[in-house]
Amino acid sequence: MRIATTIFLTDETITPLRLARELEQRAFSGLYLPEHTHIPVSRETPAPMGGELPSEYGRTLDPFVALAQAAAVTEHLDLGTGITLVAQHDPIDLAKRIATLDHLSGGRFTLGVGYGWNVEEAADHGVDWPARRALTHDRLALMHALWEDEPTAYEGEFGSVRASHAYPKPVQRPRGPVNGPRTLFGGAAGPKLFDHIARHADGWLPIGGGGLTESLPKLRTAWEAAGRDPKQLHVVPYAVVPNRGKLAHYADLGIEEVVVQLPPAGEAEVLRALDAYAEFL
């Protein structure tokens, strides 16, 4: 089982350069980073974990800049977002950024896609909250058009692009309905999400990894109903606090990669956490 990591990297934590070097040296498989452009002070949306929202949510580094630094000082470390708030981006610009990172890293990038939870943050980006899922899918489709080998136009509900020369292309080749880097959707288990995964993605990033015994068969059913190859479904439990029993349970379910949570802290504390996780490698 591959053990990757996630962390809220901020202006107060260990740096991307230092962390990436340590992860590769210690044989961790990857680094996934979250995204928030800003957290409005007048927020009415409840924190997803309940209680007060931790300060690191408003201090996160831009994940693409941080992952580019990580790519520059590593050769094998996988790089990913957990997640990218696609609806909050201009899709033409985002397509260029993703393709460039995948190209420069030699195909090591995974695009984690999320619909978001912070209504106020999304509103500042002009996102109509009830339409955010449809907007996300539309922007993914536009990006896929730009990643085609030949100039391909796209006309969608929310945006369009002319047939264009758009390079570099992502290293990873098309498979099924997905073009571009490996794409995993975050979100809570349910038929709507599983249908979206089967039609738009390579798999699922279930936060915390709970309830997979019940939810995985339902996802696999939706996946196969969409005509997808069962062997190509990726399920990657995300932000997991690991123990041997939990990882053994994931292995029994056929899961091959787990993303463990690191503290949003300085170098010394993060390195202690890596030392503690070494037994699982």
Side-chain angles (χ1 to χ4, degrees), residues 8 47 52 66 71 74 76 86 100 113 118 153 159 178 187 207-208 278 280:
F8 277 87
E52 291 297 317
T74 57
H76 307 292
V86 172
T100 300
V113 173
N118 190 321
V178 185
I207 296 177
F280 305 123

Side-chain angles (χ1 to χ4, degrees), residues 173-209:
R173 302 307 301 159
R175 60 266 165 216
V178 185
N179 188 11
R182 183 175 73 151
T183 301
L184 305 176
F185 277 24
K192 182 181 294 186
L193 176 69
F194 292 166
D195 177 65
H196 294 334
I197 290 171
R199 291 192 292 117
H200 301 290
D202 295 297
W204 185 26
L205 276 175
I207 296 177

Side-chain angles (χ1 to χ4, degrees), residues 47-280:
M49 74 295 292
E52 291 297 317
L53 190 69
S55 63
E56 60 265 21
Y57 278 74
R59 306 189 76 106
T60 53
L61 303 183
D62 179 282
F64 292 97
V65 176
L67 289 170
Q69 282 200 331
V73 297
T74 57
E75 295 182 358
H76 307 292
L77 189 72
D78 290 335
L79 311 161
T81 54
I83 46 64
T84 297
L85 296 164
V86 172
Q88 296 182 183
H89 288 270
D90 175 283
I92 298 173
D93 177 71
L94 184 60
K96 172 70 77 173
R97 196 179 312 170
I98 289 170
T100 300
L101 180 55
D102 197 54
H103 168 74
L104 292 177
S105 67
R108 289 187 275 154
F109 182 65
T110 290
L111 174 64
V113 173
Y115 299 115
W117 61 267
N118 190 321
V119 177
E120 292 77 31
E121 177 185 359
D124 285 348
H125 287 279
V127 175
D128 175 36
W129 191 249
R132 70 192 185 283
R133 288 181 175 85
L135 175 60
T136 296
H137 302 153
D138 191 70
R139 289 185 170 172
L140 281 172
L142 190 154
M143 291 194 293
H144 289 170
L146 288 169
W147 294 333
E148 292 286 351
D149 288 335
E150 298 298 326
T152 301
Y154 176 77
E155 183 72 36
E157 179 182 0
F158 299 96
S160 63
V161 67
R162 297 171 175 84
S164 303
H165 299 293
Y167 290 86
K169 303 297 183 184
V171 173
Q172 300 167 63
R173 302 307 301 159
R175 60 266 165 216
V178 185
N179 188 11
R182 183 175 73 151
T183 301
L184 305 176
F185 277 24
K192 182 181 294 186
L193 176 69
F194 292 166
D195 177 65
H196 294 334
I197 290 171
R199 291 192 292 117
H200 301 290
D202 295 297
W204 185 26
L205 276 175
I207 296 177
L212 290 178
T213 301
E214 295 76 25
S215 58
L216 263 183
K218 298 175 183 177
L219 172 57
R220 287 171 174 151
T221 296
W223 184 266
E224 294 180 31
R228 306 291 299 275
D229 183 347
K231 295 179 181 178
Q232 294 184 349
L233 174 61
H234 296 245
V235 177
V236 183
Y238 188 80
V240 170
V241 178
N243 58 56
R244 288 198 174 277
K246 190 181 293 186
L247 296 182
H249 173 60
Y250 293 154
D252 289 342
L253 293 174
I255 288 169
E256 299 178 347
E257 179 184 6
V258 174
V259 181
V260 300
Q261 182 71 59
L262 294 172
E267 183 172 317
E269 185 175 345
V270 170
L271 295 185
R272 284 194 296 269
L274 294 179
D275 290 339
Y277 290 160
E279 65 171 298
F280 305 123

